[in-house]
């Protein structure tokens, strides 16, 4: 996997779930005019996902690895990227940056069976440890990530390819 691909996945997850609810989209963004899967999610589901995202964003900014990974299913998989790989990427981010900030917006949520396909736009930036310089780590636009309820809580599940 190329380093740029890995960084993109971490940020999307970290941000979306992160940010918070995700965060590492492994699927390409939908093409303009192409029909999206499923049906529009009810407002209650969108609200639940937005609350999860806000909490995960707080955990990312607090550099709380365990709190952030609590938003990710143990069965998370997007292509070959797993929760264990995400854990390692977060540790790397936390070692490189002394401060992380993320802005994530949920653009649309579609339900497909028990899954929620969350399309988000966002940016992750960080201040380099020891240097003090701020830099953009990752940004994305309308990238999908799949979430699923586990034990009554929404968690990132991945695209399971």
């Amino acid at each position: 996997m190329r380093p740029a691909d890995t960084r993109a996945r971490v940020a999307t997850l970290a941000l979306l779930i992160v940010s918070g609810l995700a965060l590492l989209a492994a699927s390409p963004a939908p093409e303009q005019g192409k029909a999206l899967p499923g049906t529009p999610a009810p407002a209650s589901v969108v609200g639940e996902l937005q609350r999860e995202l806000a909490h995960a964003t707080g955990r990312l900014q607090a550099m709380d690895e365990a709190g952030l990974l609590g938003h990710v299913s143990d069965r998370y998989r997007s292509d070959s990227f797993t929760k264990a790989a995400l854990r390692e990427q977060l540790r790397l981010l936390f070692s490189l940056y002394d401060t992380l900030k993320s802005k994530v917006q949920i653009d649309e949520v579609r339900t497909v069976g028990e899954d929620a396909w969350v399309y988000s736009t966002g940016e992750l930036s960080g201040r380099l440890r020891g240097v003090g310089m701020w830099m953009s780590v990752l940004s994305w636009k309308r990238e999908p990530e799949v979430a699923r309820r586990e034990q009554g809580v929404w968690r990132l599940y991945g695209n399971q390819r």
Side-chain angles (χ1 to χ4, degrees), residues 20-75:
L21 234 192
L23 178 244
L24 298 184
S27 303
E31 297 173 21
Q32 290 291 348
K34 186 175 180 184
L36 297 176
T39 59
S44 60
V45 168
V46 174
E48 291 172 14
L49 290 166
Q50 287 175 328
R51 284 188 292 280
E52 290 292 327
L53 173 60
H55 184 264
T57 299
R59 297 300 79 220
L60 175 72
Q61 292 177 184
M63 296 185 149
D64 176 5
E65 176 186 324
L68 185 55
L69 289 173
H71 291 276
V72 181
S73 171
D74 288 340
R75 299 183 311 171

Side-chain angles (χ1 to χ4, degrees), residues 55-147:
H55 184 264
T57 299
R59 297 300 79 220
L60 175 72
Q61 292 177 184
M63 296 185 149
D64 176 5
E65 176 186 324
L68 185 55
L69 289 173
H71 291 276
V72 181
S73 171
D74 288 340
R75 299 183 311 171
Y76 181 88
R77 176 174 296 284
S78 284
D79 294 327
S80 63
F81 199 74
T82 64
K83 185 174 181 175
L86 174 60
R87 179 179 289 108
E88 292 305 313
Q89 293 300 314
L90 287 173
R91 288 178 180 168
L92 177 61
L93 277 175
F94 295 165
S95 72
L96 292 174
Y97 301 97
D98 61 16
T99 306
L100 291 169
K101 291 184 182 179
S102 66
K103 286 180 21 182
V104 180
Q105 149 189 322
I106 294 176
D107 300 317
E108 185 172 1
V109 180
R110 315 264 310 168
T111 54
V112 180
E114 61 187 36
D115 297 337
W117 286 48
V118 182
Y119 295 83
S120 70
T121 297
E123 180 177 8
L124 174 66
S125 59
R127 189 174 66 191
L128 283 171
R129 191 174 297 283
V131 177
M133 183 176 79
W134 280 92
M135 62 183 296
S136 178
V137 177
L138 176 75
S139 63
W140 67 95
K141 193 169 191 167
R142 286 195 59 78
E143 290 289 334
E145 182 62 80
V146 178

